[in-house]
Amino acid sequence: MTNKNQDHSSEPESVQKPQDKAQKEVKKTSDIPEQKPKTAHIPPSQTPQRGIKLAALAIALSIVLPSGLAFYTYQQNIQYQTQISTLQSQLQDTKTLIQKELAANQEASVLKVEAVSHKTETRLAQQQRSIDSLQLAIADVKGRRPNDWLLAEADYLVKLAGRKLFLEHDVQSATELMESADQRIAALNDPSLVQLRQSLANDIMSLRSIPIIDKDGLVLRITALQQQVDKLPLANAIQPQVSEKEQPKVSEDIHDWQANLMASLKDFSQNFITFRTRDGSAIPLLSPQQHFYLKENLKAKLETAIKAVYLEQQNIYTTALTTADSWSNTYFNQEANTVAEFNKAIVLLSKQNIQISYPVKLETQQSLSDVIRERLRRDVTTLIMEDK
């Protein structure tokens, strides 16, 4: 009890006085008794120890918390750096991929644009050609003059002459066609076509200077020789010539009676046994089968010469006839008149020239095309000016 009273007495007056005043005021206002609240008292011996603990705890917290916070911040920074590096690598990969896709798309777009541009240019060119052809057609219809058909006919004749010359090697027909074209142009009586007529004259003179080969005549002659092959007689067995010896002569001198006697005996003995000396080997007769092959091969050589005439192959023509002449001289009877005439005809035919050098092109073709094109262009320009 003493302790409690001491405790109460040790309390400061500032604490007790307000309570007493309050109690007095409550007693005055009411007669109801009021119980005092119980307060907990801390022993004085426990207060310093608790403060020391709190201070130590505060100091420990002040040391641990910054270190932990720094370590946590360091770990977070490392984690953030790792994430940033990963994101940067992903961003770089994404950037590279996007650049590749953009390059591929750009290249594809360029190719598509070029393809579209090429198609457009092609269509424009086609349309321009169509327009040009339509303008030429309109000029041909509206601007045609009465004598223009003569110029068109001359152009047709010149082109036909070129085909006859370069494809068929028909020089005579080509010359006649060029002369007909010159007559058509002369009928126009146009002084501006003097240069064109000069080109025609040059081409006509060039064609007339080409030697004309009678191919049909050569072929007919060779065909006639083919038909005579079966009638040619074969040669007999060919033997080498005998070397002739001088026969001993009987003299009239009586002192040469021994030589005359020996000469008479030799001349008498030759009627029983004859010795002849031959130099070389004998060529035997051909069998019937070989005779057939010989004639067929000879006909084939003549047929080769006929084809060479039309193709103008001089080497093949000459070689075929030379081989035929060699076979005829070797295997047929040279004493027969038919064989001699056959050989003579082959020799004459082998000397014929069947190869001709033709001009590379006709000068008139280009000149005439230029004249027609210039006239059509002039007509088109006139029509366009009239439309405007």
Side-chain angles (χ1 to χ4, degrees):
M1 292 299 290
T2 58
N3 293 333
K4 291 181 180 179
N5 292 326
Q6 289 178 359
D7 293 336
H8 286 286
S9 63
S10 63
E11 291 179 357
E13 293 179 357
S14 61
V15 176
Q16 291 178 357
K17 287 179 180 181
Q19 291 179 355
D20 293 338
K21 290 179 180 180
Q23 288 176 0
K24 289 179 179 180
E25 289 177 359
V26 172
K27 287 180 179 180
K28 289 178 180 181
T29 56
S30 178
D31 293 334
I32 298 170
E34 184 180 354
Q35 296 179 356
K36 294 180 180 181
K38 296 180 179 180
T39 58
H41 296 282
I42 300 173
S45 61
Q46 294 178 356
T47 302
Q49 294 178 356
R50 186 176 181 182
I52 294 171
K53 291 179 180 180
L54 290 174
L57 180 61
I59 293 171
L61 289 175
S62 63
I63 295 172
V64 171
L65 285 177
S67 301
L69 182 61
F71 181 75
Y72 177 76
T73 305
Y74 176 74
Q75 292 293 330
Q76 290 293 325
N77 288 333
I78 293 175
Q79 186 177 0
Y80 290 155
Q81 290 294 332
T82 305
Q83 292 178 355
I84 290 170
S85 300
T86 305
L87 291 174
Q88 286 180 350
S89 62
Q90 292 178 356
L91 181 61
Q92 185 65 29
D93 295 339
T94 306
K95 183 179 179 181
T96 305
L97 181 61
I98 292 173
Q99 288 178 352
K100 290 182 179 179
E101 291 180 354
L102 288 175
N105 293 332
Q106 184 178 3
E107 186 177 359
S109 300
V110 171
L111 292 176
K112 288 181 180 180
V113 170
E114 290 180 353
V116 172
S117 176
H118 180 69
K119 289 182 180 179
T120 304
E121 291 178 356
T122 304
R123 290 179 181 177
L124 289 175
Q126 292 177 353
Q127 291 177 358
Q128 186 63 37
R129 286 195 294 269
S130 300
I131 292 172
D132 294 340
S133 62
L134 289 174
Q135 289 178 349
L136 291 175
I138 293 171
D140 191 19
V141 173
K142 292 185 178 180
R144 186 174 295 172
R145 290 175 290 184
N147 293 330
D148 284 348
W149 65 274
L150 291 173
L151 194 61
E153 187 176 357
D155 181 57
Y156 170 75
L157 292 173
V158 170
K159 291 180 179 178
L160 186 59
R163 293 191 185 96
K164 285 287 184 181
L165 178 63
F166 300 118
L167 298 180
E168 302 178 12
H169 291 175
D170 190 354
V171 180
Q172 187 174 0
S173 299
T175 304
E176 293 176 357
L177 289 170
M178 294 293 288
E179 291 175 350
S180 299
D182 184 57
Q183 293 175 2
R184 301 299 191 280
I185 295 176
L188 292 174
N189 195 18
D190 189 350
S192 62
L193 300 178
V194 174
Q195 187 66 31
L196 178 60
R197 294 200 65 189
Q198 183 64 43
S199 300
L200 274 169
N202 294 335
D203 288 336
I204 291 172
M205 291 300 298
S206 176
L207 292 175
R208 286 179 178 175
S209 63
I210 297 175
I212 298 176
I213 297 176
D214 188 10
K215 295 181 180 179
D216 295 334
L218 289 175
V219 170
L220 290 175
R221 292 168 64 183
I222 297 173
T223 304
L225 292 178
Q226 275 184 325
Q227 296 174 356
Q228 292 181 4
V229 170
D230 293 330
K231 301 177 182 178
L232 297 178
L234 286 174
N236 295 325
I238 301 175
Q239 296 180 353
Q241 295 181 355
V242 179
S243 57
E244 295 182 357
K245 295 183 179 180
E246 294 183 1
Q247 296 293 334
K249 296 180 180 180
V250 178
S251 64
E252 296 180 355
D253 189 0
I254 194 171
H255 297 287
D256 297 333
W257 62 271
Q258 293 179 352
N260 293 335
L261 179 60
M262 291 299 297
S264 298
L265 290 174
K266 287 181 179 180
D267 185 41
F268 179 75
S269 63
Q270 285 178 357
N271 294 326
F272 298 98
I273 300 174
T274 303
F275 295 94
R276 295 186 178 88
T277 303
R278 299 181 183 273
D279 296 330
S281 58
I283 300 176
L285 292 171
L286 295 176
S287 64
Q289 186 177 7
Q290 291 175 336
H291 185 197
F292 173 77
Y293 289 148
L294 171 64
K295 291 185 176 181
E296 292 301 322
N297 289 333
L298 186 56
K299 291 179 182 178
K301 286 295 180 182
L302 296 175
E303 186 66 28
T304 302
I306 291 174
K307 293 179 180 179
V309 170
Y310 287 116
L311 297 176
E312 297 183 5
Q313 296 175 344
Q314 184 68 44
N315 293 332
I316 297 176
Y317 173 80
T318 304
T319 303
L321 292 181
T322 303
T323 304
D325 180 62
S326 176
W327 290 351
S328 176
N329 289 323
T330 303
Y331 298 105
F332 292 104
N333 188 3
Q334 301 300 314
E335 296 180 357
N337 189 30
T338 54
V339 176
E341 294 297 329
F342 182 85
N343 295 338
K344 188 186 298 184
I346 287 181
V347 171
L348 291 176
L349 289 173
S350 63
K351 295 179 181 179
Q352 292 289 333
N353 185 17
I354 63 170
Q355 191 170 1
I356 302 174
S357 59
Y358 297 94
V360 179
K361 63 179 181 179
L362 293 176
E363 181 182 351
T364 309
Q365 288 182 345
Q366 186 63 36
S367 300
L368 190 55
S369 298
D370 293 340
V371 170
I372 295 174
R373 190 181 300 108
E374 181 64 27
R375 290 202 172 193
L376 289 177
R377 187 183 296 110
R378 193 183 309 160
D379 294 337
V380 169
T381 305
T382 304
L383 288 175
I384 293 174
M385 295 299 295
E386 291 178 356
D387 292 339
K388 291 182 178 180

